[in-house]
Amino acid sequence: LLMTLNPNARVASRGNVVADAIAVSPDRRWLAYTHRIYCDAVGSVLLTSNHVCLLDTLAGPAATPVCQDSANVLGVDFGGSGNVICFSADYSGQNEIWRASVTQAGQLVNFAQLTRGSAGQPSSYPRVSSDGSWVIFSRDVDAGPGENLQAHVVRLDGDGVLGLGFAARRPVWSGG
């Protein structure tokens, strides 16, 4: 990862991490990413499950990412303000969509579970709408060994999960 997010701050290269999902907070203070593979001089290390890490862009090249406990995180995005983050994690027996707040130190607090799918129907890869009100995500509606990923939405406050009736692996918003 090598990014310039703030005019006066440059985040140093993180060449030893293979990132899967990357998100930048609306105020461009935080860079969030998920990773499972870490490379060093000896080779690569496969972690037991995906981590979510936050990097403070104001800290400059000396920035050290703050990584949360692994919970098979599949996707990450920021809400309407710079300190609201949305992600998919397995804290409740399968991957569901969660919301949390980012502290000034990069820790996640005030967790709220936004979705509760039936057993065998996990949710993943959330993306927050540009107005910060809705989250679109994929849910595997095939409770068996197969996979049938369908687009769903939920309000960022957790109210009103709605299936959209079309297939989507990693849905995104366009314009609102």
Side-chain angles (χ1 to χ4, degrees):
L1 301 171
L2 178 61
M3 304 209 47
T4 303
L5 300 173
N6 288 314
N8 300 320
R10 183 179 169 126
V11 177
S13 173
R14 300 285 173 217
N16 57 347
V17 171
V18 179
D20 177 47
I22 299 172
V24 178
S25 64
D27 62 3
R28 299 190 310 190
R29 162 120 192 241
W30 297 103
L31 172 72
Y33 61 92
T34 65
H35 76 94
R36 187 172 186 172
I37 300 173
Y38 182 88
C39 302
D40 58 22
V42 178
S44 62
V45 175
L46 182 62
L47 304 172
T48 55
S49 75
N50 288 353
H51 290 68
V52 62
C53 299
L54 289 128
L55 194 63
D56 185 350
T57 65
L58 299 179
T64 301
V66 176
C67 296
Q68 310 304 313
D69 290 337
S70 62
N72 195 34
V73 177
L74 299 173
V76 62
D77 199 16
F78 283 94
S81 71
N83 72 332
V84 175
I85 193 167
C86 193
F87 55 95
S88 166
D90 183 0
Y91 292 131
S92 59
Q94 70 182 14
N95 274 68
E96 295 294 347
I97 307 301
W98 293 79
R99 181 190 71 225
S101 298
V102 180
T103 68
Q104 290 293 322
Q107 297 292 328
L108 297 183
V109 296
N110 302 325
F111 289 80
Q113 186 174 351
L114 302 182
T115 64
R116 286 171 176 74
S118 299
Q121 296 185 342
S123 300
S124 58
Y125 298 105
R127 300 302 289 182
V128 181
S129 63
S130 59
D131 67 2
S133 299
W134 291 89
V135 180
I136 192 167
F137 62 96
S138 291
R139 172 173 281 156
D140 183 359
V141 296
D142 180 351
E147 185 176 76
N148 182 3
L149 298 174
Q150 297 284 314
H152 287 71
V153 293
V154 63
R155 288 186 47 86
L156 193 59
D157 63 10
D159 191 27
V161 175
L162 175 65
L164 299 180
F166 61 87
R169 179 166 295 282
R170 291 187 183 194
V172 296
W173 292 101
S174 178

